[in-house]
Amino acid sequence: MLILSVDTSAIASAALLTGQGETLAAFATEDTRSHAEVLAPGIGKIMTTADVTGADIDALVVGVGPGPFTGLRSGIATARSLAFAWDKPLHGVMSLDAIAVDAALDAWRAGVDEFVVATDARRKEVYWARYRSTGGTHELLDGPHVSAPSEVPDLPAYGMGAGLYPQQLRRVTEYSGTQPTAEALGRTAIVKLAKGLDLLDTAPLYLRESDAKIPGPRKRAL
Amino acid sequence: MNRTRPLVVGIESSCDETGVGIVRGDTLLANTVSSSMDEHVRFGGVIPEIASRAHLDAFIPTLEQALDTAGVTLDEVDALAVTSGPGLAGALMVGVCAAKALSLATGKPLYAINHLVAHVGVGVLDGGVLPENLGALLVSGGHTEILRVRSLTDDVELLGSTIDDAAGEAYDKVARILGLGYPGGPAIDKLAREGDPMRIRFPRGLSQPKYMGSAQAPGPHRYDWSFSGLKTAVARCVEQFEAAGEPLPVADIAASFQEAVADVITAKAMLACTEQGISNLLLGGGVAANSRLRALTEERCAAHGISLRVPPVSLCTDNGAMVAALGAQVVMAGGQPSGIEFAPDSSMPVTSVHL
């Protein structure tokens, strides 16, 4: 089995993984604001590196957020269009799972049962979700949510969101700069696909409405 | 690649219309448009984030329908074209990402196309090759421009444009002031037919000598427009009627406003054409559907000996066919593809026909 995984919920990234969870090739940016430029070329490069064509790919997975709107849409629009053109199945994965998959193992080693994953939601807020680690495997308990850092449960916190708000979140230092990546996202998806579990559809998890306000009455000058 | 009569898929997402059009050379095969207009009604104007969300949801179904209508598959296509600007940044991003992915998946070359020039290029789908000495008057909810088109594929010059609101935007704002709802253009156009266009003399922006100058010594805004003052003048006019306790002559205000818009747009367009040696004009953009603008443009073009071409309304409003049409022209002219590394440019200048 060959999976192409894409995530643009924070940074832009893509990875090609085997059914055993082995990474054949991966790319990731540092930047969170150039997804529309770099994503398609990045996918092209990893396919060349791994010597893979669209016909070789069995399924695609895409991170459906939560994440900043415009960037998030870049990945979903890209994945949907690739899946359409190649006529391959496409599944969605909640992007915070891409941090939880490694955090669960770290938590288990540290003897911690429950933890949170948090990423940058901008506007002084974080996207977060609460997980349980069972023998190093993550299980989503609550979320995803978007809120002020002060509203996040007082548990060990993994991910960039914890790194940004160390006063409010109990950050796990080694993971305080961690962002969701397509590589980690792909690993969580493969585990679920292998177990025959359902993945999500690709509807984006925006968690916020647009800021548009219905206009009030006209201002008068007279 | 077939550069004689290329089969091109064009993708448009610069505002609130998700469009996929398919052409073969200068023949239209499909023009599928999904609009999010209904979702913007309660806000009285296009909300970029709502439009962007709608593009993401609409894109694949719109593409499927266009392919189905044209009876072609992606494999048969010679090239892909996408609007890369100007437009709403977040909205452009959806079409550009989708187009890049299609190009990557199929190996077909991708052309990043200028939305405004595409409004001109669509003319080839209705009447074939565009004439020489061509000008284009583009009037829509986001744009008001007069262009000189020496070559559709590599030489377009901006002669004048609005310095603030687009004409269509002024229609939406005035419709809100008059309580006529959104979109404002059709509502005002309909009501204006019952009103007196001479009842109120609304200002024609940037028409004073200090802005106009002369043909020999042009002022700073000889071919430019401004509509924000007009919108304010309508608001003040309404307030005066209200303050005097008089019933509001809504139809007369609508007609007088529409007259001011059509008059100043066509007067300046005629000035630009006659002074710049333009003998053929193409009228495009969504406001080309406006009955008074069409009539006055026809009348004044005839008076100045300028030939006028107005594509059907379905090709004047934003759509993918215009992107495909210009893309096909660029392919036929031997233009190089844009690759998949370009960035969308929300303020892409008309001098850049394609990237």
Side-chain angles (χ1 to χ4, degrees):
Chain A
M1 189 162 70
L2 185 63
I3 302 283
L4 173 64
S5 173
V6 173
D7 186 86
T8 55
S9 64
I11 59 169
S13 60
L16 282 161
L17 300 101
T18 67
Q20 288 70 47
E22 182 201 349
T23 301
L24 298 182
F27 112 97
T29 61
E30 300 271 307
D31 188 6
T32 57
R33 292 173 192 270
S34 60
H35 302 348
E37 290 95 298
V38 302
L39 183 60
I43 294 170
K45 278 184 198 120
I46 61 170
M47 290 179 67
T48 306
T49 304
D51 195 17
V52 159
T53 67
D56 301 326
I57 291 168
D58 294 293
L60 294 88
V61 296
V62 64
V64 293
F69 308 153
T70 301
L72 183 61
R73 275 190 290 269
S74 300
I76 297 174
T78 300
R80 285 182 184 175
S81 301
L82 290 172
F84 174 78
W86 287 331
D87 194 20
K88 303 288 180 179
L90 169 65
H91 308 281
V93 177
M94 202 268 277
S95 295
L96 299 178
D97 286 358
I99 296 177
V101 63
D102 293 325
L105 203 58
D106 184 78
W108 176 63
R109 285 180 185 138
V112 170
D113 289 336
E114 289 190 21
F115 64 93
V116 294
V117 168
T119 58
D120 184 13
R122 300 179 186 167
R123 304 186 202 172
K124 297 179 182 164
E125 291 190 322
V126 291
Y127 297 116
W128 63 271
R130 179 177 184 152
Y131 291 87
R132 177 189 291 134
S133 173
T134 310
T137 303
H138 67 282
E139 178 197 350
L140 179 65
L141 297 179
D142 181 26
H145 299 287
V146 62
S147 76
S150 57
E151 290 171 39
V152 177
D154 183 23
L155 291 167
Y158 293 79
M160 182 69 123
L164 287 171
Y165 302 100
Q167 261 89 56
Q168 292 95 330
L169 272 71
R170 222 201 296 163
R171 69 170 165 176
V172 178
T173 314
E174 307 90 275
Y175 288 81
S176 62
T178 304
Q179 298 276 36
T181 65
E183 193 177 0
L185 190 91
R187 277 190 275 124
T188 75
I190 284 164
V191 171
K192 286 188 177 169
L193 286 172
K195 288 181 183 167
L197 297 173
D198 282 342
L199 295 174
L200 304 174
D201 65 19
T202 61
L205 301 173
Y206 293 119
L207 306 190
R208 285 178 181 139
E209 291 302 313
S210 77
D211 288 332
K213 300 255 190 310
I214 293 171
R218 171 165 44 93
K219 292 192 198 83
R220 285 163 194 281
L222 292 181
Chain B
M1 179 177 24
N2 177 350
R3 284 195 187 262
T4 320
R5 277 175 59 75
L7 182 65
V8 179
V9 173
I11 296 165
E12 157 65 30
S13 72
S14 68
C15 192
D16 62 337
E17 257 98 23
T18 312
V20 178
I22 303 176
V23 306
R24 193 187 297 278
D26 58 8
T27 306
L28 178 66
L29 301 182
N31 182 20
T32 308
V33 177
S34 166
S35 174
S36 59
M37 193 205 285
D38 293 350
E39 297 175 57
H40 305 287
V41 167
R42 63 200 180 106
F43 301 105
V46 173
I47 305 300
E49 176 58 23
I50 292 174
S52 302
R53 290 182 182 193
H55 285 309
L56 182 64
D57 293 340
F59 179 69
I60 295 290
T62 307
L63 172 64
E64 274 186 299
Q65 197 187 324
L67 290 168
D68 191 48
T69 303
V72 299
T73 64
L74 280 177
D75 285 342
E76 300 169 46
V77 166
D78 290 301
L80 302 159
V82 64
T83 298
S84 57
L88 303 169
L92 288 169
M93 215 75 86
V94 177
V96 165
C97 284
K100 286 182 174 187
L102 292 178
S103 175
L104 176 67
T106 60
K108 309 290 183 183
L110 174 62
Y111 290 81
I113 295 292
N114 186 303
H115 174 84
L116 291 174
V117 185
H119 270 303
V120 187
V122 77
V124 302
L125 300 180
D126 182 60
V129 179
L130 294 172
E132 304 268 297
N133 299 324
L134 178 67
L137 176 60
L138 305 180
V139 190
S140 73
H143 302 282
T144 309
E145 276 104 9
I146 177 96
L147 313 177
R148 182 218 297 278
V149 186
R150 286 198 181 89
S151 158
L152 186 56
T153 53
D154 63 11
D155 191 352
V156 180
E157 181 191 351
L158 182 70
L159 297 176
S161 69
T162 178
I163 62 167
D164 42 53
D165 293 351
E169 197 178 348
Y171 266 90
D172 290 337
K173 288 174 176 174
V174 165
R176 205 156 84 204
I177 292 168
L178 297 178
L180 299 177
Y182 174 86
I188 289 177
D189 196 4
K190 188 165 171 237
L191 195 59
R193 288 168 211 201
E194 299 159 22
D196 175 7
M198 301 303 164
R199 168 91 182 260
I200 301 146
R201 171 82 191 175
F202 285 121
R204 274 64 166 163
L206 302 180
S207 293
Q208 293 145 283
K210 64 175 172 178
Y211 299 120
M212 298 295 289
S214 63
Q216 292 71 34
H221 295 296
R222 190 165 179 79
Y223 306 141
D224 290 335
W225 295 276
S226 165
F227 297 104
S228 70
L230 173 58
K231 166 204 70 192
T232 307
V234 173
R236 293 298 94 84
C237 170
V238 168
E239 285 165 19
Q240 278 166 3
F241 278 104
E242 287 171 350
E246 292 174 35
L248 205 59
V250 181
D252 290 346
I253 295 174
S256 299
F257 161 77
Q258 174 147 293
E259 193 60 23
V261 173
D263 179 34
V264 73
I265 288 177
T266 51
K268 290 211 172 202
M270 290 306 113
L271 195 64
C273 289
T274 50
E275 290 178 2
Q276 300 292 323
I278 291 167
S279 49
N280 301 289
L281 186 68
L282 182 142
L283 174 63
V287 184
N290 182 273
S291 67
R292 184 60 187 148
L293 181 65
R294 280 177 94 113
L296 201 54
T297 309
E298 280 166 18
E299 192 182 302
R300 291 184 171 173
C301 277
H304 288 91
I306 296 165
S307 85
L308 176 66
R309 194 144 142 181
V310 191
V313 171
S314 63
L315 297 178
C316 280
T317 50
D318 289 350
N319 65 82
M322 66 188 208
V323 182
L326 181 55
Q329 294 294 314
V330 172
V331 170
M332 288 188 276
Q336 288 306 302
S338 311
I340 58 170
E341 294 187 11
F342 66 87
D345 179 358
S346 57
S347 54
M348 188 171 177
V350 293
T351 45
S352 179
V353 175
H354 64 102
L355 294 178

